[in-house]
Amino acid sequence: MIFSKRCLHALRAVLYLGTQPPERDFIPIREISKKLDIPFHFLTKILKDLADKGFIESSRGAAGGIRLAKPTAELNVKEIIESIEGEDYFSGCILGFSKCDSDNPCALHDRWVAIKEEIQKMLGEEHLEVLSTRIQEQGLRLLEM
Amino acid sequence: MIFSKRCLHALRAVLYLGTQPPERDFIPIREISKKLDIPFHFLTKILKDLADKGFIESSRGAAGGIRLAKPTAELNVKEIIESIEGEDYFSGCILGFSKCDSDNPCALHDRWVAIKEEIQKMLGEEHLEVLSTRIQEQGLRLLEM
DNA sequence: CTAATTGCAGACAAAGTTGTCTTAATTAAA
DNA sequence: TTTAATTAAGACAACTTTGTCTGCAATTAG
């Protein structure tokens, strides 16, 4: 599995938010936790991170919860993954070296450049707006079976 | 960083073996540990795994060490990565679900299929033979700077 | 045979990830 | 104003990954 649990939980939670009917405002974390089978307190921490990064907003108290901070058209999968796994998760060196570029390439640099650019392109194009409607229309899963 | 430390250490060690002159037989793990700056005992365990999987052979005692178990043309980067990270590391579901295919796709399935096939293709084509000569001819790095 | 050199095995430790629990702070509604 | 519902914060624990250490087993050189 390529992504950490934190990242998977974050992705699924954000996709859940994106697929909620627009008339819903703040959605309780408890609801997401139950629907997606993610440990509540763990999810709370992860979502707090996403809130600090500006992806979601939260409100305490009754009728509180979380909601997306931007329109779904302005949120893509890549930036959510990178906010959890680190900004250089896809752009970094495949051998983990901090300085690796065409001037000082690692042994796998050339081949990896092509792959990682493709990954970034595809995931960067994957906006929540399209994704959410696709999930709803085709009944795509956010849950383990 | 996409790969675990175990995997990076394994990759670099195998690439080191591939770039050694053919007249060298068994190469001491201590040498690899020093040259690549990888903790010795940790590396020993990782290489034991690779030996159990059939990628390398080892010999104890004086003049002992490890060597590749197959010709470099028959070893590629993909199988080494998968032997460390797990067979489904690249082929599995991006949301981590155990059952995810075209019949029961997860929310990101379609897009991810294209990317992961590309990754597997490229890394599967990356044989140690070509890689090693490229590393030697172009002086590519196996080390952090 | 002996000694030196190496990989092997397993206990242990340090650090990171994942998850649980309790309490506090905030908000809306009764 | 009280009460219920909710996020926030932080201590703690379980587990995994990463790394260290010690001694053992095998092999070769002398």
Side-chain angles (χ1 to χ4, degrees):
Chain A
M1 176 157 23
I2 290 190
F3 300 133
S4 66
K5 289 282 183 70
R6 281 188 80 83
C7 188
L8 297 179
H9 294 339
L11 273 177
R12 294 170 61 216
V14 168
L15 289 174
Y16 182 84
L17 291 179
T19 53
Q20 292 310 298
E23 62 269 20
R24 297 198 68 182
D25 194 9
F26 288 107
I27 293 172
I29 298 178
R30 180 71 69 183
E31 171 185 331
I32 307 174
S33 160
K34 285 179 181 168
K35 287 287 178 60
L36 301 185
D37 194 27
I38 300 172
F40 173 69
H41 293 288
F42 190 24
L43 181 57
T44 291
K45 289 181 193 171
I46 297 168
L47 293 176
K48 181 58 170 55
D49 281 357
L50 290 185
D52 290 342
K53 300 256 173 64
F55 293 115
I56 63 177
E57 297 166 343
S58 65
S59 170
R60 293 184 176 184
I66 61 166
R67 67 183 174 199
L68 295 176
K70 308 173 188 176
T72 51
E74 295 173 21
L75 271 172
N76 68 57
V77 172
K78 172 170 174 278
E79 58 189 350
I80 293 163
I81 294 171
E82 286 179 338
S83 85
I84 299 284
E85 303 286 19
E87 290 302 321
D88 63 346
Y89 187 70
F90 294 118
S91 59
C93 169
I94 193 178
L95 289 186
F97 300 150
S98 57
K99 291 170 189 173
C100 175
D101 49 38
S102 53
D103 289 337
N104 253 303
C106 81
L108 294 171
H109 183 78
D110 285 355
R111 293 303 184 95
W112 185 238
V113 164
I115 300 178
K116 71 187 185 186
E117 280 177 357
E118 185 117 8
I119 295 178
Q120 291 182 87
K121 182 161 169 287
M122 277 190 143
L123 293 180
E125 287 168 351
E126 207 66 28
H127 288 275
L128 281 199
E129 187 174 33
V130 186
L131 248 185
S132 300
T133 58
R134 190 143 37 96
I135 290 171
Q136 287 171 313
E137 287 173 0
Q138 304 180 21
L140 301 180
R141 293 190 292 142
L142 290 176
L143 254 181
E144 181 71 273
M145 298 184 75
Chain B
M1 177 155 25
I2 288 189
F3 300 133
S4 66
K5 289 283 182 69
R6 281 188 81 83
C7 187
L8 297 180
H9 293 339
L11 273 178
R12 295 170 61 215
V14 168
L15 290 174
Y16 182 83
L17 290 180
T19 54
Q20 292 309 298
E23 62 269 20
R24 298 199 66 183
D25 194 9
F26 289 107
I27 293 172
I29 299 178
R30 179 69 70 183
E31 171 185 329
I32 306 174
S33 161
K34 284 179 181 169
K35 287 286 179 60
L36 300 185
D37 194 27
I38 300 173
F40 173 70
H41 293 287
F42 191 24
L43 181 58
T44 291
K45 289 181 193 170
I46 297 168
L47 293 176
K48 182 58 171 54
D49 280 358
L50 290 185
D52 291 341
K53 300 258 173 62
F55 294 115
I56 63 177
E57 297 166 342
S58 64
S59 169
R60 294 184 178 185
I66 61 166
R67 68 184 173 199
L68 295 175
K70 308 174 189 175
T72 51
E74 296 173 21
L75 271 172
N76 68 56
V77 172
K78 172 171 175 277
E79 58 189 350
I80 293 163
I81 294 172
E82 286 179 338
S83 85
I84 299 284
E85 304 287 19
E87 290 302 321
D88 64 345
Y89 187 70
F90 294 119
S91 60
C93 169
I94 192 178
L95 289 187
F97 300 149
S98 57
K99 292 170 187 171
C100 174
D101 48 37
S102 53
D103 289 337
N104 254 303
C106 80
L108 294 171
H109 183 78
D110 285 355
R111 293 303 183 95
W112 184 237
V113 164
I115 299 179
K116 70 187 185 188
E117 280 177 356
E118 185 119 8
I119 295 177
Q120 291 181 88
K121 181 161 172 285
M122 277 190 143
L123 293 180
E125 287 169 351
E126 207 68 28
H127 288 275
L128 280 199
E129 186 175 34
V130 186
L131 247 185
S132 300
T133 58
R134 190 142 36 95
I135 290 171
Q136 287 171 312
E137 287 173 0
Q138 303 180 21
L140 301 180
R141 293 190 290 141
L142 290 175
L143 254 181
E144 180 71 273
M145 299 184 74

